[in-house]
Amino acid sequence: MFEKQVYNNRRTKLKATMKSGIALFLGNKEASFNYSANEYTFRQDSSFLYLFGIKLADFVGVIDFDEGKDYIFANDMDIADIIWMGHLPTIKEQAAQVGVEHSGSLADLEVFVKKSIALGRKIHFLPPYRATTFVQLSNLLGIKYASVKNYVSQELIQNMVKLRSIKEVIEIEEIEKALETAYEMHVTAMKMAKPGVKEQQIVGKMEGIASAAGGPVSFPIILTINGQTLHNHYHGNFLKEGRMLVADAGAETENNYCSDITRTVPVGGKFNDRQKAIYEIVLEANLEAAKIMKPNIFYKDVHLHAAKVITTRLKELGLMKGNVDEAVANGAHALFFPHGLGHMMGLDVHDMESYGENFVGYNHEIQRSTQFGTAYLRLGRRLETGFVVTNEPGIYFIPALIDKWKNEKINTEFINFELVENYKDFGGIRIEDDILITADGAKVLGKPIPKTIEEVEKIMNE
Ligand code: GLY
Ligand code: MN
């Protein structure tokens, strides 16, 4: 938890942007794993964390925009809780730690909300993403479970996006800490990437590093010799010479800030010529994208710039053909690069995604594309100083997608399908960094993790 001033400032800023009414910020409840008393590791809701900082289950924060007051509602521990979980400060004491003067029980919350409804006050809340939160909102507000989504506050979403998009200095420091852990995780994976090692053994070590550093992983680790499957969570393969190992993984700090890094390395520590050629293209796309990131540029244009680098170089290899600009305009690059260049990152690894991707990544100036590939771009709007975003181009050879495009004659004027056929056993390559947008450009955050061919081969053979 940060100093209470941090949370006070954030709530004050939010109050300055909201017209009237009250806002409910429902913290998460415990979630059961296989029976009710056996729970998943608790993860607090990020909006609650951002404004109220407390990492305990079943807390609700309320801000009254008309009165300018903040509240925390939760139940004090009873003797059974104390026996099983130990003694904690009272709710009043915990509220004071984050600068909140008013507190009460969950029964008090019900009375507070019912009274606000009776007075016809506007009640704002953010989109829920867990069933238990839907139920809690449904009960508190007296609306049907199925219609809860219809009542979310777009005004609150937009103002929270404005606030959370611009990272404070302490948030950047947290992300750098999460990156220190990611450095250890990825360098460990590189050193372990030898033929005969099972993917799960590497995943286990990486999870252990994240846990030992204070937080869990920031999302389930993607680590695979079948990197052509973008989010591959199967870890049952044994590493084989000739395959590339994609590792996409990050950690959370104790304050729940994330890192999200991808490195791709040749099993055994030596790139062959075919791997080198494709790797150099992805690396160039990553470096070129970082070079042009700066305030005011549309992130979609950075994405398309990376797509053009990839198309230009794949054309030189003979895998693509035709005019590069036309190929990218037609989405032909998406056969190889079918996802977006990146996303916002912060308290969530895909920051604020629970608010709705389009609220975070798009606005009145720019709408989401419907074209295959670019449609997956989570962030399209102009970058601003203080944004933290990922930069994660990739090239993949996805046999099912290649067959589909070939059979349906999609973008045949830009793809050399005959040659692409030879790459169906290649797998995929992705390289991802976390980037801070600065006043005059962009900065790759964290201690540099081996990325060039020379750096990767060196660390793998130490
Ligand atoms: N690191 C996984 C993702 O960005 O989707
Ligand atoms: Mn990512």
Side-chain angles (χ1 to χ4, degrees):
M1 182 183 294
F2 300 125
E3 296 287 310
K4 65 177 161 206
Q5 206 47 42
V6 170
Y7 304 104
N8 271 333
N9 284 344
R10 291 172 177 176
R11 293 192 302 266
T12 302
K13 280 190 187 161
L14 182 64
K15 283 174 202 160
T17 64
M18 294 291 297
K19 288 197 279 288
S20 65
I22 63 169
L24 307 179
F25 296 93
L26 273 56
N28 280 333
K29 294 174 182 291
E30 297 284 5
S32 296
F33 184 43
N34 52 343
Y35 54 92
S36 64
N38 198 24
E39 293 145 350
Y40 286 103
T41 303
F42 178 71
R43 174 54 154 87
Q44 185 57 286
D45 171 72
S46 296
S47 305
F48 183 88
L49 272 178
Y50 185 79
L51 295 167
F52 296 96
I54 299 169
K55 284 176 64 167
L56 291 169
D58 234 347
F59 273 60
V60 178
V62 174
I63 303 182
D64 184 329
F65 300 114
D66 303 307
E67 302 273 332
K69 289 183 183 164
D70 308 319
Y71 298 80
I72 291 272
F73 294 98
N75 290 338
D76 276 316
M77 301 187 102
D78 60 22
I79 187 65
D81 296 327
I82 292 167
I83 291 166
W84 288 96
M85 288 165 344
H87 198 69
L88 286 174
T90 63
I91 303 306
K92 195 172 175 50
E93 287 162 343
Q94 294 196 62
Q97 282 174 9
V98 291
V100 174
E101 203 179 314
H102 308 280
S103 61
S105 66
L106 291 174
D108 296 332
L109 172 68
E110 255 186 75
V111 173
F112 184 93
V113 173
K114 296 270 179 297
K115 195 169 143 200
S116 302
I117 294 171
L119 291 170
R121 302 186 69 192
K122 170 85 186 152
I123 300 179
H124 301 270
F125 60 89
L126 295 164
Y129 52 91
R130 288 193 184 187
T132 44
T133 316
F134 274 91
V135 171
Q136 197 176 6
L137 283 166
S138 165
N139 290 339
L140 270 174
L141 301 171
I143 50 181
K144 287 207 179 86
Y145 183 102
S147 40
V148 166
K149 280 241 154 164
N150 303 336
Y151 291 88
V152 299
S153 166
Q154 296 208 2
E155 185 190 352
L156 183 60
I157 292 174
Q158 277 158 352
N159 287 321
M160 285 295 285
V161 168
K162 260 191 217 142
L163 267 183
R164 287 180 58 188
S165 295
I166 311 293
K167 269 48 185 188
E168 300 156 3
V169 172
I170 46 164
E171 293 185 288
I172 294 160
E173 285 167 3
E174 283 288 324
I175 292 169
E176 297 254 32
K177 275 188 222 160
L179 280 161
E180 265 175 50
T181 310
Y183 176 95
E184 293 303 329
M185 291 164 73
H186 282 276
V187 165
T188 300
M190 288 177 189
K191 290 182 176 169
M192 287 181 75
K194 306 222 185 303
V197 174
K198 197 176 181 185
E199 292 163 341
Q200 185 62 50
Q201 288 175 270
I202 307 178
V203 169
K205 288 277 188 229
M206 293 172 94
E207 285 176 346
I209 291 167
S211 174
V217 288
S218 51
F219 58 95
I221 290 178
I222 296 161
L223 183 135
T224 179
I225 53 169
N226 288 316
Q228 74 280 6
T229 303
L230 305 182
H231 281 179
N232 199 332
H233 291 125
Y234 175 74
H235 301 138
N237 296 305
F238 289 88
L239 272 51
K240 283 193 282 282
E241 196 89 47
R243 300 294 301 178
M244 301 289 301
L245 180 71
V246 173
D248 182 348
E252 280 197 8
T253 61
E254 276 181 49
N255 284 319
N256 298 101
Y257 284 84
C258 300
S259 53
D260 183 9
I261 293 290
T262 308
R263 288 294 183 266
T264 307
V265 302
V267 173
K270 195 98 190 89
F271 287 83
N272 64 34
D273 289 345
R274 192 169 77 148
Q275 292 171 336
K276 247 184 206 167
I278 302 295
Y279 190 91
E280 289 288 12
I281 299 175
V282 180
L283 181 61
E284 187 179 334
N286 170 283
L287 297 173
E288 288 297 314
K291 246 188 232 166
I292 66 162
M293 287 188 199
K294 62 178 179 187
N296 227 28
I297 191 169
F298 284 101
Y299 189 80
K300 184 179 174 185
D301 288 339
V302 185
H303 167 85
L304 293 174
H305 181 65
K308 280 182 193 168
V309 170
I310 287 171
T311 304
T312 305
R313 297 292 176 221
L314 287 178
K315 194 177 147 185
E316 284 170 13
L317 281 186
L319 288 160
M320 292 188 77
K321 57 189 180 180
N323 178 281
V324 169
D325 290 344
E326 275 176 36
V328 171
N330 281 281
H333 60 279
L335 177 65
F336 308 100
F337 175 33
H339 59 75
L341 182 69
H343 49 86
M344 292 270 207
M345 204 192 65
L347 273 169
D348 304 300
V349 69
H350 290 180
D351 211 21
M352 302 171 274
E353 199 159 288
S354 65
Y355 299 173
E357 283 181 30
N358 290 348
F359 282 112
V360 180
Y362 293 88
N363 58 21
H364 63 281
E365 273 196 304
I366 180 164
Q367 316 287 302
R368 199 182 184 104
S369 165
T370 53
Q371 186 185 65
F372 173 76
T374 310
Y376 288 122
L377 182 64
R378 294 181 155 92
L379 176 63
R381 68 185 169 116
R382 289 182 200 272
L383 296 175
E384 292 176 40
T385 309
F387 279 19
V388 173
V389 300
T390 65
N391 172 17
E392 47 182 312
I395 294 181
Y396 314 86
F397 295 89
I398 307 168
L401 186 62
I402 294 166
D403 290 344
K404 180 178 162 63
W405 279 34
K406 193 172 165 186
N407 294 338
E408 295 176 16
K409 302 194 177 1
I410 298 171
N411 280 315
T412 45
E413 62 273 46
F414 304 113
I415 311 283
N416 183 353
F417 283 105
E418 237 176 73
L419 195 55
V420 172
E421 203 61 31
N422 300 337
Y423 283 75
K424 274 183 169 171
D425 63 346
F426 185 93
I429 293 177
R430 179 163 64 252
I431 304 175
E432 176 178 26
D433 296 317
D434 302 336
I435 307 257
L436 170 68
I437 305 303
T438 60
D440 56 358
K443 178 178 174 231
V444 178
L445 292 173
K447 173 172 160 188
I449 301 172
K451 191 160 84 164
T452 64
I453 287 181
E454 298 69 37
E455 288 163 356
V456 168
E457 288 189 345
K458 182 165 179 276
I459 199 103
M460 292 182 79
N461 293 290
E462 258 173 16

